[in-house]
């Protein structure tokens, strides 16, 4: 009997069993196949996401969300060092790199695999995040942001002050959280509509066109959107907000009364015959 401690992706496991060595220098026992160094070879990826229990998100600081490739899970040589990630050269973990670029899954070879811990909570990041800041000029670092996030830290909060999935629209920015692979971008998405408002051509003399954001047909998307515009009334903020579980009629400007003379001549009395 032999005990083996293997560390993989931050998860520790202890395996006990009789070892049988193969011709390739590795070995197997009743629990699975192992490399020569004693690492358990992962043969199956399970979980609700493309990468198992790890969500994958677009990562970018530009209006266009695409382009970023995760250096750990991409088998392409690093542009600076020329080396390929250990994750992709290690027989024990290579399956994750194969899955990352598998064309049978969305966005093959793209995005950031959220395998890192959020320093604020100590929890592995489990959501995708989008943020755009309105402005007359583009800030290359701040105008747009697509990244991994930890759901409890999302800007939109529940009644207990804990972050939830959905979008928050304020007089300064729009930010969103979601919990599906690549949900923080994509052609024809709500995020694409929101991202346009970070461009200077959507920023007028008096700031962003908030009414144009309110006019978006949110019923096309399964997103909760909450407006928090201090200069607006509670009624207008509520009417512009959208809850897919309880959709309303949206906001419409109150009709203005037509100006005119309210005075009318009294009817003349009919002469008695």
């Amino acid at each position: 009997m032999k005990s083996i401690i293997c560390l993989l992706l931050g998860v520790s496991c202890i395996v006990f069993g009789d070892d049988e060595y193969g011709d390739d220098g590795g070995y197997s026992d009743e629990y699975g196949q192992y490399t020569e160094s004693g690492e358990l070879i992962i043969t199956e990826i399970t979980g609700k996401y493309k990468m198992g229990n790890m969500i994958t998100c677009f990562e970018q600081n530009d209006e266009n969300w695409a382009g970023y490739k995760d250096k750990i899970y991409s088998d392409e040589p690093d542009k600076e060092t020329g080396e390929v990630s250990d994750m992709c050269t290690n027989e024990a973990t290579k399956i994750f790199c194969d899955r990352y670029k598998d064309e049978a899954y969305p966005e093959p070879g793209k995005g950031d695999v959220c395998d890192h811990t959020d320093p604020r909570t100590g929890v592995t990041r489990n959501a995708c995040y989008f943020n755009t800041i309105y402005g007359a000029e583009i800030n290359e670092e701040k105008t747009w942001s697509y990244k991994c996030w930890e759901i409890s830290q999302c800007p939109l909060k529940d009644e207990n002050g804990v972050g939830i999935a959905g979008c928050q629209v304020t007089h300064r920015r729009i930010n969103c959280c979601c919990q599906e692979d690549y949900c923080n971008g994509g052609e024809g998405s709500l995020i694409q509509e929101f991202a346009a408002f970070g461009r200077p051509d959507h920023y007028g003399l008096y700031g962003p066109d908030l009414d144009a954001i309110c006019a978006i047909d949110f019923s096309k998307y399964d997103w909760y959107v909450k407006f928090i515009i201090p200069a607006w009334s509670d009624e207008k903020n509520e009417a512009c907000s959208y809850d897919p579980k309880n959709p309303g009629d949206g906001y419409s400007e109150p009709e203005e009364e037509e100006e005119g003379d309210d005075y009318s001549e009294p009817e003349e009395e009919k002469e008695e015959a």
Side-chain angles (χ1 to χ4, degrees):
M1 296 286 289
K2 188 177 194 178
S3 69
I4 303 167
I5 301 178
C6 59
L7 299 175
L8 179 63
L9 297 176
V11 179
S12 62
C13 57
I14 302 176
V15 179
F16 300 94
D18 294 320
D19 302 330
E20 296 179 1
Y21 287 81
D23 296 334
D24 59 356
Y27 58 93
S28 64
D29 62 20
E30 59 183 305
Y31 295 96
Q33 299 289 325
Y34 300 86
T35 65
E36 186 175 1
S37 61
E39 292 178 278
L40 176 65
I41 298 175
I42 305 300
T43 58
E44 182 180 8
I45 297 175
T46 59
K48 62 180 180 179
Y49 299 118
K50 165 181 169 178
M51 299 295 287
N53 292 321
M54 301 178 292
I55 191 172
T56 305
C57 306
F58 287 113
E59 171 85 14
Q60 195 58 267
N61 287 106
D62 189 79
E63 182 180 0
N64 189 332
W65 51 85
Y68 179 85
K69 295 184 177 181
D70 196 308
K71 294 181 179 180
I72 295 177
Y73 299 92
S74 174
D75 58 4
E76 297 181 5
D78 185 271
K79 293 181 179 179
E80 297 180 0
T81 65
E83 298 179 353
V84 176
S85 165
D86 291 341
M87 180 73 72
C88 300
T89 56
N90 187 339
E91 184 184 5
T93 56
K94 185 177 181 297
I95 187 173
F96 288 99
C97 297
D98 294 339
R99 173 65 64 84
Y100 181 71
K101 64 180 182 180
D102 192 335
E103 295 187 358
Y105 292 86
E107 304 293 343
K110 297 179 182 179
D112 184 19
V113 180
C114 305
D115 58 359
H116 31 291
T117 300
D118 191 302
R120 298 166 296 182
T121 63
V123 176
T124 300
R125 287 176 173 159
N126 50 16
C128 297
Y129 176 81
F130 163 78
N131 179 74
T132 189
I133 299 175
Y134 321 124
E137 297 181 354
I138 292 176
N139 183 312
E140 294 183 358
E141 296 296 325
K142 295 182 179 180
T143 298
W144 293 283
S145 181
Y146 304 79
K147 61 178 67 178
C148 294
W149 210 254
E150 205 277 290
I151 189 66
S152 70
Q153 302 301 301
C154 289
L156 191 61
K157 308 295 185 182
D158 63 13
E159 61 276 7
N160 298 315
V162 180
I164 58 175
C167 297
Q168 177 177 268
V169 180
T170 75
H171 58 300
R172 292 193 176 97
R173 69 181 71 218
I174 304 172
N175 39 34
C176 305
C177 279
C178 51
Q179 288 188 292
E180 295 180 8
D181 284 332
Y182 305 104
C183 57
N184 62 334
E187 291 290 339
S189 66
L190 176 59
I191 299 300
Q192 184 181 33
E193 289 211 51
F194 280 156
F197 288 91
R199 300 199 306 258
D201 63 340
H202 280 65
Y203 194 85
L205 181 62
Y206 300 103
D209 190 347
L210 299 173
D211 286 321
I213 301 175
C214 175
I216 294 174
D217 183 4
F218 297 119
S219 66
K220 297 189 299 183
Y221 312 101
D222 191 27
W223 286 75
Y224 178 55
V225 181
K226 185 175 180 62
F227 280 71
I228 307 176
I229 312 297
W232 286 2
S233 66
D234 291 343
E235 291 76 16
K236 184 171 182 178
N237 275 304
E238 183 177 352
C240 288
S241 300
Y242 182 78
D243 183 350
K245 296 180 180 178
N246 185 28
D249 297 328
Y251 178 75
S252 59
E253 292 288 347
E255 295 183 4
E256 295 183 1
E257 295 183 2
E258 294 184 4
E259 295 183 1
D261 191 350
D262 293 336
Y263 177 76
S264 59
E265 292 286 344
E267 294 183 6
E268 295 182 1
E269 294 182 2
K270 294 182 180 180
E271 295 184 0
E272 293 182 4

